[in-house]
């Protein structure tokens, strides 16, 4: 029987955890009862430097249940890093790992099906077939994002977020991707292996509020694009070439006009082109800067997170 670990990134989730953890326990107990997973399967909460009572809540569950563990970051390192830490801690003992958001917006009742499908696949993606609970704005931006990514040649599973199951060997391979700006959804498909999907409808957040405001969402999308593709640089190159061609045509036109004796006043056209070109150049520089910035953070190779406390290793030591 395989040992399953369910990993939850938690940032200020004191309101959701008291509801989430018992729900997941029930699912684990069912699966254990049906002998689908080993009895020592466990829940792993990664506290991403919460400022509320998230850690105390995890600790309370840890003292009450022998299969709930917490890992505490020394500060907030972000959702993606919390997932990476959870996977690398769990991978040492678990055979199957499921990552799911602590607010259970992803449907936890599909977990048994995921486990079932893992018999024939190393990665089982949770795929949303319904986004009714998301705002129209979020739907449009998400669709636009997945469209852009697939058209840039990034092999992503559309509408899959960070709710997925991975086998030990898939996680092991995944953790070899050592980039600092890790865009997990894009990297997991690169690992290969056989994969499968389970469909679910995304629910409303049960309590607390989203930790992904618009500014973070934009950052996340830009990171996704620039970590996987240099298409933006190609686009600005094409725009540059087009503008150069147009300006040559304009030059010929004004020379012809000059020899025909038509003097042009043209202050407006001059000032518009100066501003237009200035704008294009600034955009171009900033796009290149974005990539240089990426290289800068990768080269420094700073640790992705710092673990202050790890209840799994503590309890092994006991
Ligand atoms: N999260 C995290 N660190 C952060 C922000 C979010 O670990 O800096 C966790 C959060 O606790 C939740 C998950 O990531 O479990 C997804 O966040 P949220 O539900 O706020 O995002 P949304 O579902 O609104 O996109
Ligand atoms: Mg959420």
């Amino acid at each position: 029987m395989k040992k399953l670990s369910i990993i939850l990134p938690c940032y200020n989730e004191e309101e959701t955890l008291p509801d989430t953890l018992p729900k997941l326990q029930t699912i684990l107990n069912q699966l254990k009862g049906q002998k689908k997973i080993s009895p020592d399967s466990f829940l792993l909460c990664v506290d991403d430097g919460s400022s509320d009572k998230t850690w105390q809540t995890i600790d309370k569950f840890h003292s009450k249940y022998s299969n709930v563990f917490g890992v505490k970051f020394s500060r907030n390192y972000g959702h993606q890093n919390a997932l990476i830490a959870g996977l690398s801690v769990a991978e040492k003992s678990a055979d199957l790992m499921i990552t799911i958001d602590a607010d259970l917006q992803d449907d936890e009742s599909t977990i048994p099906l995921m486990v079932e499908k893992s018999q024939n696949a190393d990665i089982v993606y949770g795929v949303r077939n319904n986004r009714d609970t998301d705002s129209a704005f979020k739907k449009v931006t998400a669709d636009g994002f997945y469209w852009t990514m697939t058209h840039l040649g990034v092999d992503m599973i559309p509408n899959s977020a960070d709710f997925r199951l991975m086998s030990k060997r898939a996680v092991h391979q995944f953790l070899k991707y050592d980039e600092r700006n890790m865009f997990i959804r894009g990297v997991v498909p690169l690992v290969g292996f056989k994969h499968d999907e389970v469909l679910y409808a995304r629910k409303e957040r049960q309590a607390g509020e989203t930790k992904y405001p618009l500014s973070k969402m934009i950052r996340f999308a830009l990171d996704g694009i620039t970590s996987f593709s240099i298409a933006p640089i190609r686009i600005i190159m094409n725009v540059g070439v087009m503008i150069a061609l147009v300006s040559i045509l304009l030059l010929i036109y004004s020379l012809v006009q000059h020899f025909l004796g038509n003097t042009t006043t043209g202050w407006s056209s001059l000032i518009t082109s100066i501003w237009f070109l200035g704008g294009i150049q600034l955009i171009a520089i900033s796009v290149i800067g974005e990539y240089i910035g990426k290289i800068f953070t990768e080269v420094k190779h700073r640790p992705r997170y710092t673990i202050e406390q790890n209840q799994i290793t503590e309890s092994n030591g006991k």
Side-chain angles (χ1 to χ4, degrees):
M1 266 186 294
K2 293 197 164 153
K3 184 163 165 179
L4 171 71
S5 166
I6 301 182
I7 298 157
L8 304 123
C10 312
Y11 179 53
N12 293 343
E13 298 287 1
E14 62 173 6
E15 285 173 88
T16 57
L17 284 177
D19 187 56
T20 298
L21 294 177
K23 276 188 183 158
L24 292 176
Q25 281 287 32
T26 315
I27 293 175
L28 276 188
N29 289 335
Q30 262 168 16
L31 286 167
K32 286 180 197 172
Q34 297 163 349
K35 306 229 177 310
K36 297 255 168 72
I37 55 171
S38 103
D40 51 358
S41 296
F42 61 99
L43 297 179
L44 178 63
C45 305
V46 182
D47 178 6
D48 184 11
S50 301
S51 52
D52 66 356
K53 294 210 166 57
T54 298
W55 182 249
Q56 285 88 324
T57 315
I58 297 171
D59 201 40
K60 221 167 64 203
F61 276 91
H62 174 62
S63 351
K64 200 163 149 204
Y65 301 101
S66 58
N67 71 330
V68 177
F69 298 95
V71 163
K72 186 182 190 312
F73 277 0
S74 58
R75 64 166 169 88
N76 179 250
Y77 281 93
H79 181 203
Q80 303 287 292
N81 288 323
L83 289 170
I84 297 170
L87 288 169
S88 67
V89 168
E91 185 243 1
K92 297 198 171 69
S93 63
D95 306 304
L96 299 174
M97 278 143 272
I98 292 180
T99 48
I100 187 166
D101 287 352
D103 56 3
L104 291 189
Q105 281 192 277
D106 306 309
D107 192 356
E108 74 284 358
S109 65
T110 56
I111 289 179
L113 184 60
M114 275 189 164
V115 172
E116 191 74 45
K117 290 196 167 186
S118 73
Q119 290 177 353
N120 298 311
D122 279 87
I123 304 173
V124 184
Y125 295 96
V127 174
R128 299 169 216 179
N129 60 357
N130 180 325
R131 277 179 170 269
D132 286 353
T133 56
D134 281 345
S135 65
F137 178 75
K138 186 142 184 175
K139 270 188 240 172
V140 171
T141 47
D143 284 347
F145 176 66
Y146 287 110
W147 186 91
T148 313
M149 289 301 272
T150 25
H151 280 80
L152 291 178
V154 185
D155 180 21
M156 271 176 78
I157 312 282
N159 291 317
S160 74
D162 288 312
F163 176 38
R164 70 176 85 72
L165 175 147
M166 291 169 89
S167 68
K168 194 189 202 72
R169 64 174 185 178
V171 172
H172 190 73
Q173 279 312 114
F174 165 76
L175 291 172
K176 288 189 183 162
Y177 288 77
D178 201 24
E179 49 215 80
R180 304 296 102 176
N181 290 297
M182 175 79 99
F183 184 66
I184 302 181
R185 287 166 216 198
V187 172
V188 171
L190 295 181
V191 168
F193 295 124
K194 228 175 132 191
H195 67 85
D196 206 338
E197 292 173 6
V198 296
L199 296 176
Y200 70 94
R202 189 162 157 89
K203 296 181 280 182
E204 301 265 13
R205 189 177 240 283
Q206 355 153 16
E209 55 195 33
T210 174
K211 275 80 193 173
Y212 269 101
L214 181 62
S215 57
K216 259 197 192 172
M217 245 165 67
I218 294 175
R219 195 60 258 162
F220 186 66
L222 283 180
D223 261 348
I225 293 171
T226 51
S227 323
F228 275 86
S229 162
I230 55 160
I233 292 191
R234 300 239 164 87
I235 294 170
I236 57 176
M237 194 177 99
N238 292 340
V239 173
V241 171
M242 263 158 48
I243 291 177
L245 286 176
V246 172
S247 63
I248 291 171
L249 292 179
L250 278 174
L251 181 73
I252 296 171
Y253 171 79
S254 40
L255 280 178
V256 171
Q257 290 295 324
H258 176 76
F259 287 118
L260 291 177
N262 302 333
T263 42
T264 36
T265 37
W267 180 85
S268 331
S269 57
L270 194 65
I271 204 74
T272 329
S273 16
I274 289 172
W275 278 89
F276 178 66
L277 283 176
I280 297 271
Q281 278 170 356
L282 283 181
I283 295 170
I285 292 169
S286 68
V287 171
I288 297 166
E290 182 71 24
Y291 286 93
I292 296 178
K294 280 246 145 63
I295 299 169
F296 179 62
T297 41
E298 293 299 329
V299 164
K300 278 187 294 185
H301 216 261
R302 287 183 176 164
R304 291 192 280 210
Y305 50 81
T306 304
I307 293 180
E308 188 178 318
Q309 212 176 327
N310 179 341
Q311 292 176 333
I312 292 195
T313 47
E314 279 168 18
S315 59
N316 285 346
K318 263 182 207 160

